[in-house]
Amino acid sequence: MSWVSLIFHQHYQFDMAFNKREKIKDLLSGDFLDTQVSIMGWVRTKRSNKNVSFIAMNDGSTIKNFQVVADPNQIDDDVLKKCTTGACLKITGKVVASQGAGQQAELLAASIEILGEADPEKYPLQPKKHSLEFLREIAHLRVRTNTFGAVFRVRHALAYAVHKYFNDKGFFYIHTPIITASDAEGAGETFKVTTLDLKNPPLDEAGKIDYKQDFFERETNLTVSGQLEGELAAMGLADIYTFGPTFRAENSNTTRHLAEFWMIEPEMAFYDAEDNQDLAEDFLKYVISYALENCMDDLEFLDKRAEEEESTKKADQRSEMGLIERLKFVVENKFERLTYTEAIDILRNSNPNKKKKFQYLIEGWGADLQSEHERFLVEKHFKKPVILTDYPKDIKAFYMRQNEDGKTVAAMDILFPGIGEIVGGSQREERLDKLTKRMEEMDIPAEEMWWYLDTRRFGSTPHAGFGLGFERMVLFVTGMGNIRDVIAFPRTPGHAEF
Ligand code: 4AD
Ligand code: MG
C-alpha cells in the first residue's frame, strides 16, 4: 500500500476526529461526569450476562482500568464478541457516576469500534497471573500488564526527575559519544565496532588485523562510560551531566547486570570528594522523593506485588520493610559514610566471615568487595545506604585521585539495600605528574589519551563526579527483583531479541 493510499485508507475507515480521545487518567478525576467522550485502549477483561457486558479498559495512562458498561441492545453482538482480552477498542459514550464500588465513574457505551482484534485462542496474555520469566519471553507484549505498565511509568518519572534535578541546579546536559576508541574503566569488557569483513579482515605486516583500513582508521568500541568526555566538558562548563546508554561485555549473568544499560554521570569542576558525596546523596534522595510524590498509584501496586514475592522467600531472606516504607526510609535518613579500611574491619570480624558463610572470605586489606559483602554492610550491619570511600588504588580505575597514604584513592561507592552498588565515583586525579605515572604503571598508553591529559596541562583544577546505574535505581524504586524487568528490551549474554 502506498503512502497516500494508506492515509486515505485510515481516513476512510475512521472518521476525521479519530485522534480525539480522553485519557483514562483524566476521566478518573471526575471532571468529565455527564459528558460524551471517546476513549481508546486495550481490553483487560470482559464479564457478561444476558443484560449487560462490563469491559475493563486500560490505555496506559494509569494503572487503573476504566469500566465500560455495554448494553447488548445498543451494541452489536458481533462487535461485543470481539471485545476480548487484548483487543484494541475505541469506545464512545457518556461518563456517569459508577453504580459499583471501587471507582467513581464509568462509561456507558454508545458505540464501540474494534481497532484491532486479539484472537483469544492465540493471544498469549490472559487475565491470569503470568510468571515474570514467561513475560520476559514476550517482552513485546508485557508492557500491557499492570506490573510492566507501572514499572515503565515509574522509569519515565525517574528519568524526568534526573533531568529536572540537574537543570534546576544549573548543570548542563552533555551528549558524549557512543562510539569511542578508549576503555574508560580499563576493564577490557568492550563491544567492538567495525565495518571490516570478519571472514576476511585485512592484516598488517605482523599478521594482526589492520584497523587502519577500518571505518575510523583505528580500533573502536561502544562506550563503557561517558566520564572521560564528561571531564573535558566540565573543564569549561563547570557543572555537567551525561545520561546515555553504556555497554559492557561482562559475562555476568546476574539479576544486577545488563550488557546495555543507561548511566547518569555528573562531573563537577571545583568539587572535592566530600562535595561529590554530598551531591550524590542529595541527588538520590531527590529522585526517590520525586517518585513518591508523583507515582503513588503505581508504587502502591508495586508495593503489594513485592510483598507477595517476599512472602515466597525464606524468613531470613525477607526484607524488613515494605517498598514504600523503604523508599521513605532512604529519603529521611542520612547515609552512613565510612572508609574501605573501616569496612574491611567490620567484614573481617562479621559472623558470616567467621563462620565461613561468605562465598568469598575476607582475609585482609586489599580484597575487592563482592556483592555479598556490600549487602551485608547495608542490610545487616548498618541497615541503611552506605557510602564507602578511599578504596585501595589497585582495585580502582587509573583516573581516581591518589590519597596521601600512597595506597588508597579518593573513590566512593554508594551501596543500597537489596541492590548493592548503585553509584561509583571519585575525585579525579588533577595533577599531571601523578596521573601519567599511574597510567604508566597500569599500561595505559599516554599518547592515545593526549586529549585527556591536556586538561591537566592547561587550567587543571580539582574536580569530581560519579555514575549512577539508572536501571539499578529503577530496580530499587520499583522493588522488582531482576534488572531485566526494569528495561523494556534487556540485553544480556545470549539475549538480544526484540
Ligand atoms: O562503577 P562504574 O563502573 O563507574 C563508572 O563507570 C564511572 N566512570 C562513573 C563515574 O565516575 N562517572 O559504574 C557506575 C554504575 C555502577 O555503580 C552501577 O550502578 C552501574 O553503573 N553499572 C551497571 N548497571 C547495570 N549493568 C551493568 N553491567 C553495570 N555496570 C555498572
Ligand atoms: Mg563500580
Side-chain angles (χ1 to χ4, degrees):
M1 204 183 295
S2 80
W3 218 80
V4 176
S5 66
L6 185 76
I7 290 174
F8 176 73
H9 185 74
Q10 291 199 345
H11 279 193
Y12 177 70
Q13 273 199 323
F14 315 120
D15 59 42
M16 291 296 281
F18 175 69
N19 260 323
K20 180 98 184 73
R21 67 168 176 120
E22 301 305 333
K23 293 198 175 186
I24 287 173
K25 186 171 192 223
D26 300 327
L27 293 186
L28 290 170
S29 69
D31 294 350
F32 287 84
L33 272 184
D34 296 323
T35 56
Q36 182 91 0
V37 301
S38 293
I39 64 167
M40 294 185 225
W42 293 268
V43 177
R44 283 297 173 80
T45 55
K46 183 180 68 175
R47 291 182 290 123
S48 301
N49 58 37
K50 274 206 301 290
N51 304 321
V52 65
S53 288
F54 297 102
I55 307 170
M57 292 288 290
N58 191 283
D59 68 358
S61 61
T62 160
I63 186 128
K64 292 182 179 145
N65 295 334
F66 200 63
Q67 174 156 287
V68 176
V69 183
D71 177 351
N73 297 320
Q74 180 87 20
I75 309 291
D76 236 27
D77 203 37
D78 282 353
V79 171
L80 270 180
K81 271 202 194 111
K82 289 179 182 164
C83 297
T84 53
T85 297
C88 191
L89 312 181
K90 175 180 181 179
I91 306 177
T92 303
K94 198 162 125 187
V95 182
V96 297
S98 179
Q99 308 297 309
Q103 73 173 42
Q104 289 191 326
E106 59 192 21
L107 191 68
L108 287 186
S111 74
I112 297 182
E113 192 174 332
I114 310 287
L115 302 179
E117 295 176 34
D119 182 346
E121 300 290 311
K122 296 189 183 133
Y123 184 58
L125 277 178
Q126 290 303 321
K128 62 159 196 165
K129 225 173 153 54
H130 294 293
S131 75
L132 293 172
E133 288 76 15
F134 170 73
L135 291 173
R136 232 169 270 150
E137 288 167 20
I138 51 164
H140 59 305
L141 296 174
R142 67 178 178 170
V143 69
R144 301 184 191 187
T145 64
N146 282 336
T147 299
F148 287 93
V151 166
F152 294 124
R153 278 186 297 269
V154 172
R155 183 179 166 118
H156 161 79
L158 292 171
Y160 176 73
V162 166
H163 287 299
K164 181 158 167 51
Y165 179 81
F166 286 120
N167 182 67
D168 291 354
K169 270 196 134 47
F171 281 58
F172 301 105
Y173 179 25
I174 289 285
H175 298 94
T176 49
I178 288 172
I179 302 173
T180 78
S182 59
D183 174 4
E185 295 307 301
E189 290 159 335
T190 61
F191 289 98
K192 303 287 168 246
V193 172
T194 181
T195 55
L196 291 179
D197 177 1
L198 293 182
K199 282 202 212 89
N200 189 21
L203 302 178
D204 62 14
E205 278 151 24
K208 290 196 175 142
I209 293 177
D210 184 8
Y211 285 103
K212 288 216 175 62
Q213 297 188 45
D214 202 348
F215 188 91
F216 295 107
E217 300 179 11
R218 64 189 303 171
E219 216 178 327
T220 52
N221 52 267
L222 295 178
T223 188
V224 297
S225 157
Q227 178 194 321
L228 301 188
E229 291 89 352
E231 281 187 58
L232 310 181
M235 292 297 121
L237 292 163
D239 292 335
I240 67 94
Y241 71 106
T242 72
F243 187 172
T246 47
F247 308 86
R248 295 192 187 178
E250 49 194 339
N251 211 345
S252 314
N253 241 320
T254 78
T255 56
R256 302 285 175 268
H257 288 87
L258 290 164
E260 177 179 297
F261 63 99
W262 288 68
M263 186 157 41
I264 295 125
E265 296 183 275
E267 191 71 36
M268 298 74 63
F270 323 122
Y271 268 53
D272 68 11
E274 200 182 329
D275 299 327
N276 200 30
Q277 291 161 33
D278 292 344
L279 181 79
E281 181 168 344
D282 186 58
F283 166 59
L284 295 174
K285 287 177 171 172
Y286 175 89
V287 170
I288 296 168
S289 311
Y290 186 88
L292 283 168
E293 279 159 28
N294 293 279
C295 307
M296 221 10 141
D297 284 351
D298 287 320
L299 290 178
E300 276 168 3
F301 172 84
L302 290 166
D303 193 325
K304 282 200 202 84
R305 192 213 68 85
E307 193 183 312
E308 276 168 35
E309 194 175 272
E310 286 288 303
S311 66
T312 65
K313 291 183 184 167
K314 285 198 216 117
D316 66 326
Q317 284 169 12
R318 280 181 216 154
S319 73
E320 287 167 25
M321 289 181 210
L323 175 62
I324 293 171
E325 199 184 353
R326 190 158 62 236
L327 299 180
K328 288 186 176 156
F329 180 85
V330 167
V331 169
E332 285 160 11
N333 287 281
K334 198 158 168 38
F335 296 0
E336 189 72 34
R337 298 185 188 188
L338 71 158
T339 65
Y340 165 92
T341 304
E342 289 162 336
I344 284 288
D345 277 343
I346 293 171
L347 288 168
R348 201 169 22 203
N349 296 318
S350 70
N351 264 333
N353 201 52
K354 286 194 204 141
K355 293 189 179 153
K356 303 203 184 325
K357 289 267 169 65
F358 282 144
Q359 195 186 340
Y360 298 88
L361 293 177
I362 299 285
E363 313 276 3
W365 197 90
D368 204 353
L369 299 186
Q370 305 295 327
S371 89
E372 57 179 344
H373 309 127
E374 297 172 342
R375 293 183 64 167
F376 173 83
L377 289 170
V378 172
E379 288 158 29
K380 301 278 186 277
H381 192 81
F382 291 111
K383 296 183 190 280
K384 57 158 122 161
V386 168
I387 308 185
L388 273 189
T389 62
D390 304 292
Y391 283 71
K393 64 177 186 198
D394 290 333
I395 58 172
K396 290 292 182 188
F398 74 95
Y399 52 70
M400 297 193 179
R401 192 174 198 277
Q402 295 156 47
N403 288 333
E404 296 311 313
D405 61 13
K407 297 193 309 191
T408 60
V409 287
M412 74 158 169
D413 275 8
I414 303 186
L415 315 177
F416 259 35
I419 305 289
E421 181 191 336
I422 196 163
V423 162
S426 72
Q427 186 173 340
R428 318 304 188 191
E429 184 52 82
E430 84 282 11
R431 299 161 295 188
L432 181 65
D433 53 336
K434 298 222 184 242
L435 183 58
T436 45
K437 185 153 170 286
R438 188 71 190 134
M439 286 169 73
E440 233 165 78
E441 285 167 10
M442 295 176 79
D443 279 331
I444 296 167
E447 323 77 67
E448 281 177 27
M449 302 283 286
W450 61 274
W451 43 273
Y452 187 71
L453 293 171
D454 259 6
T455 55
R456 277 63 173 176
R457 286 189 187 104
F458 309 117
S460 190
T461 179
H463 62 289
F466 61 84
L468 167 67
F470 185 56
E471 284 75 17
R472 292 196 186 172
M473 176 51 110
V474 183
L475 205 51
F476 180 72
V477 173
T478 59
M480 299 296 286
N482 192 316
I483 201 163
R484 294 168 176 82
D485 296 333
V486 298
I487 186 164
F489 305 108
R491 300 292 181 247
T492 53
H495 296 278
E497 190 72 288
F498 312 111

